[in-house]
């Protein structure tokens, strides 16, 4: 993407976090509020040296009973001595909208006219990606960056959370580094030809949806298997669990052991035809109870992953088989386990009504059930104090409008 390379200075490219989704700069500054009604976290901020790029996520959770009309993020460095060898950038094709800023910081806004689907629905969570790029021979490093965020509902003024700092670490650790992202469940599905899932509309009581989650190995060592621990919200049960999964009696939790699912490091995954993979997307079919009162957001779902039986060279070894009955898989070391767990919610629509987050705008009022804390990342860094978003209108250089993978100057 030409975004950072075409208009940001070298210092800005090193120090700014670019977030996916955004809107029109130039609006009024948001009002500070001690109860922001949402939380923000950044996961996966430990990077093993020798890895050229790691995808991390800014995780935004809506704690209210309705979808906001817009959200704003302001990201800026705390460390003035950030090395040139480390940059935090918006990934290719990360989203579209408008951003503005300079070397001192960056702000972005999601709104009705710029990717409203990235706004978290009532009780829901979104994961916004950005990449940590590390040049070769970069020495271990620890530095801090900060995030401020605001959200607005209806005709209310923007509510903001206090500026919170996060630590980026570059460590000399040769182990595997798994991450998982599980989007909220919004659609009903059916199993089509070849076992492919086909969406059939908004998810309603009595219908079946799919919990999808993507697992990536972003470390330096391969893993020879994956263990997945899933927990579903209340009123949601597993429909047809895979044979690798042991499901609890209440059918709301499961432990799935994929003994033969080897994942090589992403940096080694250069040949799509060699049968080796660094990432995999799995799904589990789930059913919403018929008696569920809708519309409702069923919060509290979680998925957690860990690697099994670390292997230095999976490609050169024999094909893995299931473990014998008297054997137990040993967990593999993980460089950064802050991104090994993700939360998700199940959004249930009333019969015949559009589901929240399906491009219908506000999404309506939805009661929230289940523990809200289940939606937070394992690091648990929530923004709960008051504060303000500093909009860089006075020092703005120009606006860049991004559409998919390209960037062009706005008029």
């Amino acid at each position: 993407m030409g975004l950072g390379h075409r208009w940001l200075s070298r210092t800005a490219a090193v120090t700014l976090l670019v977030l996916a989704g955004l809107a029109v700069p130039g609006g009024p500054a948001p009002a500070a509020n001690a109860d922001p009604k949402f939380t923000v976290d950044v996961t996966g901020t430990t990077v093993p040296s020798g890895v050229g790029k790691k995808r991390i996520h800014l995780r935004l959770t809506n704690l209210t009973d309705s979808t906001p009309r817009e959200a704003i993020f302001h990201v800026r460095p705390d460390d003035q001595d950030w090395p040139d060898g480390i940059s935090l950038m918006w990934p290719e094709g990360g989203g579209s909208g408008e951003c503005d800023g300079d070397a001192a910081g960056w702000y972005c806004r999601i709104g009705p006219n710029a990717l409203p689907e990235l706004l978290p629905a009532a009780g829901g969570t979104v994961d916004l990606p950005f990449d940590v790029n590390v040049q070769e021979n970069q020495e271990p490093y620890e530095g801090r960056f900060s995030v401020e965020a605001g959200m607005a509902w209806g005709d209310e003024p923007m509510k903001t959370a206090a500026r919170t700092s996060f630590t980026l670490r570059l460590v000399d650790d040769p182990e595997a580094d798994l991450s998982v992202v599980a989007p909220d469940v919004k659609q009903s599905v059916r199993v089509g030809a070849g076992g492919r899932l086909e969406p059939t509309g908004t998810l309603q009581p009595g219908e079946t949806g799919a919990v999808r989650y993507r697992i990536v190995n972003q470390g330096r060592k391969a893993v020879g298997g994956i263990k997945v621990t899933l927990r579903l919200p209340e009123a949601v049960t597993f429909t047809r669990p895979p044979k690798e999964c042991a499901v609890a009696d209440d059918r709301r939790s499961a432990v799935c052991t994929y003994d033969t699912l080897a994942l090589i490091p992403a940096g080694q995954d250069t040949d799509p035809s060699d049968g080796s993979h660094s990432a995999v997307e799995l799904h589990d079919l789930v059913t919403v109870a018929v008696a569920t009162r809708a519309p409702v957001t069923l919060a509290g779902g979680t998925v957690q992953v860990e690697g099994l039986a670390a292997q230095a060279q999976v490609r050169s070894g024999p094909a893995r088989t299931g473990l014998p009955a008297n054997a137990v898989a040993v967990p593999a070391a993980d460089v950064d386990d802050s991104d090994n767990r993700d939360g998700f919610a199940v959004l249930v629509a009333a019969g015949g009504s559009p589901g929240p987050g399906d491009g219908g705008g506000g999404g309506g009022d939805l009661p929230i059930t289940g523990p809200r804390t289940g939606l937070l990342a394992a690091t648990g860094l929530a923004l709960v104090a008051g504060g303000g978003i500093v909009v860089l209108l006075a020092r703005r250089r120009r606006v860049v409008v991004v559409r998919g993978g390209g960037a062009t100057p706005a008029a």
Side-chain angles (χ1 to χ4, degrees):
M1 177 185 294
L3 179 63
H5 301 287
R6 287 176 24 175
W7 70 279
L8 287 180
S9 67
R10 182 176 182 84
T11 303
V14 171
T15 58
L16 300 183
L17 302 179
V18 186
L19 308 180
L22 323 160
V24 181
N33 190 289
D35 185 15
K37 310 293 187 184
F38 63 93
T39 62
V40 177
D41 194 15
V42 178
T43 63
T45 57
T46 298
V47 183
S49 59
V51 172
K53 180 173 72 174
K54 180 178 179 180
R55 174 68 51 84
I56 67 179
H57 292 86
L58 184 144
R59 193 166 287 167
L60 174 66
T61 299
N62 179 6
L63 302 181
T64 75
D65 60 0
S66 61
T67 302
R69 74 170 188 270
E70 63 180 342
I72 188 169
F73 310 95
H74 182 196
V75 187
R76 53 189 172 189
D78 292 344
D79 189 347
Q80 300 300 319
D81 298 322
W82 198 289
D84 287 348
I86 303 175
S87 63
L88 301 138
M89 299 296 295
W90 192 1
E92 295 281 347
S96 64
E98 296 180 357
C99 280
D100 199 7
D102 59 17
W106 181 290
Y107 78 88
C108 303
R109 193 165 64 192
I110 302 171
N113 300 319
L115 292 189
E117 63 271 20
L118 290 180
L119 293 171
T125 299
V126 292
D127 292 279
L128 306 178
F130 54 93
D131 291 334
V132 180
N133 297 305
V134 181
Q135 295 180 3
E136 293 184 6
N137 303 318
Q138 175 66 46
E139 294 294 325
Y141 173 76
E142 181 172 309
R144 296 183 68 81
F145 60 92
S146 62
V147 178
E148 293 173 287
M151 296 179 70
W153 288 261
D155 296 330
E156 298 178 1
M158 183 77 69
K159 300 181 185 297
T160 65
R163 175 180 174 181
T164 297
S165 292
F166 300 91
T167 300
L168 178 72
R169 296 182 178 89
L170 181 65
V171 298
D172 185 11
D173 193 332
E175 301 298 336
D177 185 8
L178 296 183
S179 64
V180 63
V181 173
D184 290 344
V185 182
K186 302 179 181 180
Q187 296 283 317
S188 60
V189 299
R190 64 186 175 196
V191 181
R196 292 183 176 275
L197 296 183
E198 300 175 353
T200 58
T202 56
L203 183 62
Q204 300 176 17
E207 293 185 340
T208 296
V211 176
R212 306 171 190 260
Y213 47 99
R214 181 178 179 86
I215 307 170
V216 184
N217 182 4
Q218 302 189 88
R220 293 167 52 187
K221 184 179 292 185
V223 294
I226 303 292
K227 177 182 176 181
V228 181
T229 303
L230 294 135
R231 181 67 179 171
L232 302 180
E234 294 183 7
V236 183
T237 56
F238 288 101
T239 308
R240 192 187 308 164
K243 61 181 178 62
E244 294 89 351
C245 299
V247 181
D249 292 340
D250 63 0
R251 300 187 67 80
R252 287 185 52 218
S253 61
V255 177
C256 307
T257 304
Y258 300 96
D259 300 319
T260 61
L261 182 56
L263 293 181
I264 64 174
Q268 299 178 15
D269 195 359
T270 57
D271 185 353
S273 62
D274 65 359
S276 298
H277 307 283
S278 62
V280 63
E281 183 173 293
L282 302 174
H283 72 265
D284 291 283
L285 296 178
V286 297
T287 299
V288 178
V290 175
T292 302
R293 296 182 60 185
V296 64
T297 294
L298 304 171
T302 59
V303 55
Q304 183 167 341
V305 301
E306 65 180 55
L308 302 174
Q311 296 182 350
Q313 295 292 334
V314 169
R315 292 183 180 181
S316 61
R320 287 181 55 79
T321 59
L323 293 175
N326 62 339
V328 176
V330 178
D334 197 303
V335 172
D336 182 4
D337 61 5
S338 72
D339 51 2
N340 287 30
R341 182 175 183 267
D342 194 13
F344 62 89
V346 177
L347 281 63
V348 186
S353 64
D358 293 333
D365 291 340
L366 298 176
I368 301 173
T369 66
R372 289 171 174 169
T373 55
L375 296 173
L376 302 181
T379 51
L381 295 175
L383 302 181
V384 295
I389 300 292
V390 180
V391 181
L392 302 177
L393 299 178
R395 58 195 310 170
R396 179 170 74 196
R397 293 180 177 179
R398 58 174 167 164
V399 176
V400 173
V401 180
V402 182
R403 293 288 181 262
T408 58

